């Protein structure tokens, strides 16, 4: 469809896949560099790969507002929105946890399992290391649902929430306020601002894309180069670059066809699955590599790194096709059957 609030942008999907790949490379590099494995990182440039998470958060704000643009203020009950969004998060998550929890059964408690399945705020991640990001996503959906249902009250809540999150670095908050008012929530607001820019056709597409790409790449290079900045600054820098890049590419796609390789579109489709399963896969592969090649030279270590990334991608696609897609189809089947 031509309307930008409803169409699917291939550039956004491609960006989702590349962001997931950046996080995989970050964790593979970080894990291999741990003293219990090889003690040195094979791909230093991917120390900045954590920024893929920042990109995810910005993209989430953009996509969720674009998807529901025409529904703001017309939703009489936000329950349907919550069910749709939460099931999209929870069903694949539960599929991953059902594989992982039996392996960790002797090291985790009943509370750990409950927090893993519920995605409620947690002090630490004892089951799935990457789940902390999903907890922030769920909180964003809660706040956005209020905005969707009651725009004026929701705008006040959103504004207060984001403003408070930006001020939190100047105060000392303990959990759960440190979670609720995390500076990371600025990224969702940046994404929503990007959705407005896409919808209102604000800014020249090419220039906006170049500014975003340049800003994001410069921040990546600065961080990988070892320049130290306060931890709260990095999300703002990456978030600004990501917002401009997302807006520019989406705007470009509305005016011209962009050649997006099929693999990257597919990687975007499988990005959530890849994100869910990659960390256990990386850990397992690192253990196996250490056992098989205790003292590799740099070139061999780089090959090990590349192999781990490829195995993680393969496992992500396998989980996507064998678990994520079937459970989501089952959800739609159940919903359509109930409607009849």
């Amino acid at each position: 469809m031509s309307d930008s609030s409803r169409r699917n942008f291939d550039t956004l999907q491609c960006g989702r896949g590349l962001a997931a790949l950046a996080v995989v490379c970050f964790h593979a590099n970080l894990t291999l560099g741990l003293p219990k494995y090889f003690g040195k990182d094979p791909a230093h440039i991917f120390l900045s790969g954590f920024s893929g998470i920042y990109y995810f958060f910005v993209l989430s704000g953009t996509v969720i507002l674009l998807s529901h643009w025409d529904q703001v203020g017309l939703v009489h009950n936000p329950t349907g929105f919550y069910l749709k969004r939460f099931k999209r998060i929870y069903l694949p998550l539960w599929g991953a946890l059902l594989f992982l929890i039996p392996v960790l059964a002797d090291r985790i408690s009943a509370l750990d399992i409950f927090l893993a399945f519920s995605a409620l705020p947690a002090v630490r991640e004892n089951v799935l290391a990457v789940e902390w990001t999903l907890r922030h996503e769920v909180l964003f959906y809660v706040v956005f649902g209020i905005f969707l249902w009651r725009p004026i009250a929701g705008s006040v809540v959103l504004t207060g929430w984001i403003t408070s999150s930006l001020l939190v670095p100047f105060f000392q908050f303990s959990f759960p306020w440190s979670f609720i008012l995390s500076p990371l929530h600025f990224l969702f607001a940046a994404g929503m601002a990007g959705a407005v820019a896409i919808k209102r056709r604000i800014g020249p597409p090419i220039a906006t894309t170049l500014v975003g790409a340049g800003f994001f790449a410069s921040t990546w290079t600065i961080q990988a180069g070892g320049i130290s900045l306060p931890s709260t600054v990095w999300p703002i820098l990456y978030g600004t670059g990501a917002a401009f890049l997302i807006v520019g590419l989406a705007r470009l796609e509305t005016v011209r066809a962009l050649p997006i390789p099929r693999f990257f579109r597919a990687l975007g489709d499988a990005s959530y699955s890849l994100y869910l399963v990659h960390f256990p896969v990386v850990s397992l592969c690192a253990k196996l590599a250490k056992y098989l090649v205790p003292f590799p030279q740099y070139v061999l270590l780089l090959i090990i790194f590349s192999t781990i990334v490829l195995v993680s991608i393969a496992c992500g696609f396998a989980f996507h096709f064998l678990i994520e897609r079937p459970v989501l189809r089952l959800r739609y089947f159940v919903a359509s059957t109930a409607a009849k």
Side-chain angles (χ1 to χ4, degrees):
M1 299 178 67
S2 59
D3 182 63
S4 60
S5 66
R6 294 188 178 276
R7 66 171 293 172
N8 293 319
F9 291 100
D10 286 340
T11 52
L12 301 190
Q13 198 70 344
C14 177
R16 193 194 310 271
L18 292 175
L21 182 58
V23 175
V24 173
C25 292
F26 168 78
H27 281 136
N29 181 69
L30 184 69
T31 302
L32 292 176
L34 293 175
K36 67 177 181 178
Y37 293 117
F38 300 108
K40 52 185 177 181
D41 54 356
H44 192 78
I45 189 65
F46 287 111
L47 287 177
S48 304
F50 189 86
S51 60
I53 292 173
Y54 301 146
Y55 190 96
F56 271 131
F57 283 171
V58 175
L59 186 61
S60 180
T62 300
V63 170
I64 204 70
L65 181 54
L66 280 181
S67 300
H68 298 279
W69 184 278
D70 297 328
Q71 302 171 19
V72 176
L74 300 179
V75 175
H76 300 294
N77 188 334
T79 303
F81 165 78
Y82 288 139
L83 287 175
K84 180 179 179 182
R85 299 312 310 168
F86 291 174
K87 287 179 181 179
R88 181 65 182 86
I89 289 287
Y90 281 104
L91 292 184
L93 170 64
W94 290 347
L97 292 175
L98 289 175
F99 281 99
L100 191 57
I101 285 177
V103 179
L104 303 173
D106 60 335
R107 286 175 281 173
I108 57 177
S109 66
L111 178 60
D112 292 329
I113 295 174
F114 169 75
L115 290 174
F117 275 94
S118 66
L120 292 173
V123 176
R124 62 181 60 87
E125 300 297 344
N126 294 328
V127 180
L128 184 61
V130 300
E131 191 178 351
W132 67 271
T133 61
L134 305 184
R135 303 185 198 278
H136 287 282
E137 285 279 352
V138 169
L139 179 58
F140 170 59
Y141 293 154
V142 170
V143 177
F144 185 85
I146 299 173
F147 169 72
L148 193 64
W149 177 41
R150 293 287 188 267
I152 296 177
S155 296
V156 173
V157 173
L158 268 171
T159 302
W161 180 49
I162 299 301
T163 303
S164 300
S165 296
L166 289 175
L167 294 177
V168 76
F170 302 101
F171 302 92
Q172 294 294 327
F173 288 107
S174 59
F175 184 85
W177 291 107
S178 58
F179 168 84
I180 296 172
L181 301 178
S182 168
L184 292 174
H185 300 148
F186 156 79
L187 300 167
F188 295 121
M192 293 179 69
V196 174
I198 293 171
K199 183 67 177 176
R200 302 300 186 194
R201 301 180 182 180
I202 298 173
I206 294 178
T208 303
T209 301
L210 292 176
V211 168
F215 207 91
F216 198 93
S218 298
T219 306
W220 178 298
T221 304
I222 290 171
Q223 188 175 31
I227 294 178
S228 179
L229 292 174
S231 59
T232 54
V233 172
W234 295 114
I236 295 175
L237 295 178
Y238 279 119
T240 302
F244 274 87
L245 184 57
I246 288 168
V247 171
L249 289 173
R251 294 273 291 109
L252 272 176
E253 199 172 347
T254 61
V255 297
R256 66 179 66 181
L258 297 178
I260 306 297
R262 181 178 299 178
F263 171 77
F264 290 112
R265 291 200 301 268
L267 189 64
D269 291 339
S271 59
Y272 184 40
S273 290
L274 175 59
Y275 186 73
L276 286 176
V277 306
H278 81 274
F279 194 81
V281 174
V282 167
S283 298
L284 180 61
C285 288
K287 289 180 174 62
L288 181 61
K290 180 64 176 178
Y291 175 77
L292 295 176
V293 191
F295 305 104
Q297 298 297 317
Y298 175 74
V299 173
L300 183 55
L301 185 59
L302 190 60
I303 293 174
I304 292 172
F305 165 80
S306 302
T307 302
I308 289 177
V309 171
L310 290 175
V311 171
S312 298
I313 293 173
C315 291
F317 274 113
F319 187 88
H320 174 64
F321 286 111
L322 298 177
I323 304 296
E324 182 184 13
R325 288 179 62 172
V327 298
L328 292 180
R329 282 199 298 266
L330 176 63
R331 182 191 82 192
Y332 294 128
F333 171 77
V334 171
S336 62
T337 301
K340 292 177 181 180

